[in-house]
Amino acid sequence: MGLVDDILKGDEKSAARLITRIENGDREAYRDLSLLFPYTGKAHIIGVTGPAGAGKSTLIGRLALAFSGQGKSVGVIATDPSSVNGKGAFLGDRLRMKGAEERNVFIRSMAHRSYPGGVARAAAAAAYVMEGLGKERIIVESIGAGQTDKDLFFLCDTVITVFTPEYGDEIQLFKAGLMEIGDIIVVNKSDTPGADDAAREILLVSQRMTRSNGWNVPVLLTDSQGGAGIDALVEAVEGHWRSSGQKGRTERKADNVEAFMMALLKEELWREISARVTAGQTFREVAREVRSGRMDPYSAVRKILDELEPKWTSR
Ligand SMILES: Nc1nc2c(ncn2[C@@H]2O[C@H](COP(=O)(O)OP(=O)(O)OP(=O)(O)O)[C@@H](O)[C@H]2O)c(=O)[nH]1
Ligand SMILES: [Mg+2]
């Protein structure tokens, strides 16, 4: 219980140690995590997604400092693949440069290796640990592509999607996918040409999308280098969380944690079963049949499932 107690007292070194153990797939670390779990569920977890180079890290630096300037305790989790090759440290440097460390911002970068169980699992664990530390705002950076990223958003209460004026209509589809998950859309680099037009165009697309909860997704312009528009963004982030009401917030967290459980279950089931299945005689025989064109893949899968223990399958 020592490590967990220290984390609950706010000891960041202990927190860092536990996160590292989770990253390494240490099963005992998950026991510590479940001791922390009763203390979670209070922080406002904010996801920041968007294309590479849109300015997510710079924006997060601004947000983190704005929140800490309000006296709030802040955690930052960077999970974007482009943090590989030391760019994750770039976010840290950026924040440190501005005195973030003295201002109670705890930063953790997690994209520098492949984790047993995936980045989303490690990032979720890091968020729980940060909540244990008493962080009130936790900001998660992510690149906005792939399943890992989707899983990550099961963690977030408010999602900010970041675009820049460079992203024109040729990637509407990409935009639409990212826009769906955003509760707030930011057109960053408002100091560069075309920002107003981009914001207008994105607003039109956004207005055509219906939201179940009645929240009107704002489209905001920011210059995260110069600082313009950051106050309005902070206000929108807080506004989104306030407007959900206590009931809405509790519900979203409940939906999130259930969805995250499902994602973990899928992953574990696959890991547990696939090794057993592919090592089996039936799999090898059926695979040979499929390869030679003597059996279709649908029948092949059915045959493999039928050979599994009945409790695993629907019949
Ligand atoms: N002109 C301008 N440049 C910006 C702005 N925000 C960020 N940048 C620059 O854009 C580049 C990318 O910024 P990052 O914050 O690293 O962007 P990112 O989205 O985190 O990038 P990845 O994590 O690599 O996907 C850097 O050179 C920033 O200095 C802005 O508002 N205006
Ligand atoms: Mg970044």
Side-chain angles (χ1 to χ4, degrees):
M1 190 74 188
L3 191 66
V4 170
D5 277 338
D6 289 344
I7 292 170
L8 290 172
K9 282 186 204 129
D11 181 35
E12 296 193 346
K13 281 206 179 72
S14 300
R17 213 173 313 139
L18 181 55
I19 295 171
T20 303
R21 282 171 49 205
I22 301 262
E23 286 174 330
N24 293 334
D26 176 348
R27 277 183 185 265
E28 236 164 76
Y30 284 99
R31 263 200 290 279
D32 284 341
L33 206 58
S34 56
L35 295 174
L36 279 175
F37 193 73
Y39 301 92
T40 67
K42 290 190 274 294
H44 185 180
I45 305 181
I46 301 149
V48 177
T49 188
K56 299 178 292 296
S57 299
T58 316
L59 195 70
I60 288 172
R62 289 277 178 184
L63 284 177
L65 292 174
F67 286 131
S68 72
Q70 295 173 352
K72 292 183 179 96
S73 162
V74 183
V76 175
I77 303 168
T79 63
D80 53 321
S82 53
S83 291
V84 186
N85 309 327
K87 262 178 100 194
F90 174 69
L91 170 63
D93 289 345
R94 190 172 285 277
L95 286 164
R96 265 190 289 280
M97 241 163 38
K98 299 205 165 90
E101 271 187 339
E102 302 91 82
R103 293 175 68 177
N104 216 5
V105 178
F106 180 80
I107 306 159
R108 185 74 190 206
S109 183
M110 354 201 48
H112 51 294
R113 61 185 131 160
S114 59
Y115 299 109
V119 175
R121 173 191 293 215
Y128 291 145
V129 173
M130 285 188 188
E131 281 216 59
L133 274 179
K135 297 296 170 197
E136 299 161 287
R137 298 286 180 274
I138 298 169
I139 314 176
V140 185
E141 172 172 353
S142 152
I143 196 77
Q147 189 56 46
T148 291
D149 208 79
K150 287 214 187 75
D151 291 350
L152 262 175
F153 288 105
F154 295 146
L155 198 65
C156 300
D157 304 308
T158 301
V159 175
I160 304 171
T161 299
V162 185
F163 293 115
T164 67
E166 299 144 45
Y167 297 95
D169 26 31
E170 70 271 19
I171 44 169
Q172 282 300 351
L173 277 176
F174 180 51
K175 259 188 198 166
L178 278 176
M179 277 168 75
E180 270 162 29
I181 56 173
D183 300 296
I184 294 165
I185 295 169
V186 161
V187 177
N188 188 43
K189 308 198 184 181
S190 63
D191 53 308
T192 62
D196 289 333
D197 288 345
R200 242 191 317 274
E201 185 204 316
I202 287 168
L203 184 63
L204 284 175
V205 179
S206 161
Q207 282 168 340
R208 282 202 299 270
M209 297 178 354
T210 47
R211 307 271 173 163
S212 53
N213 56 1
W215 166 253
N216 273 326
V217 176
V219 178
L220 304 172
L221 285 158
T222 59
D223 168 2
S224 48
Q225 249 171 8
I230 299 298
D231 290 347
L233 175 59
V234 170
E235 185 42 47
V237 169
E238 299 280 309
H240 173 254
W241 204 217
R242 259 197 320 270
S243 81
S244 317
Q246 186 60 48
K247 194 162 166 274
R249 289 194 287 271
T250 308
E251 227 157 81
R252 181 151 174 172
K253 281 195 184 282
D255 287 348
N256 280 355
V257 77
E258 185 181 350
F260 187 58
M261 181 195 76
M262 279 305 295
L264 286 183
L265 179 63
K266 247 197 251 175
E267 187 186 289
E268 288 292 320
L269 275 178
W270 174 244
R271 210 211 319 251
E272 297 259 327
I273 299 179
S274 71
R276 259 192 279 167
V277 166
T278 53
Q281 177 71 17
T282 309
F283 177 83
R284 281 198 301 275
E285 280 168 17
V286 163
R288 216 177 302 127
E289 296 290 293
V290 169
R291 288 177 67 95
S292 65
R294 285 192 297 271
M295 192 186 279
D296 69 279
Y298 304 100
S299 312
V301 167
R302 194 66 253 170
K303 188 162 190 309
I304 292 167
L305 289 178
D306 286 345
E307 294 260 317
L308 281 176
E309 276 189 79
K311 67 179 177 187
W312 289 112
T313 58
S314 52
R315 48 169 215 201

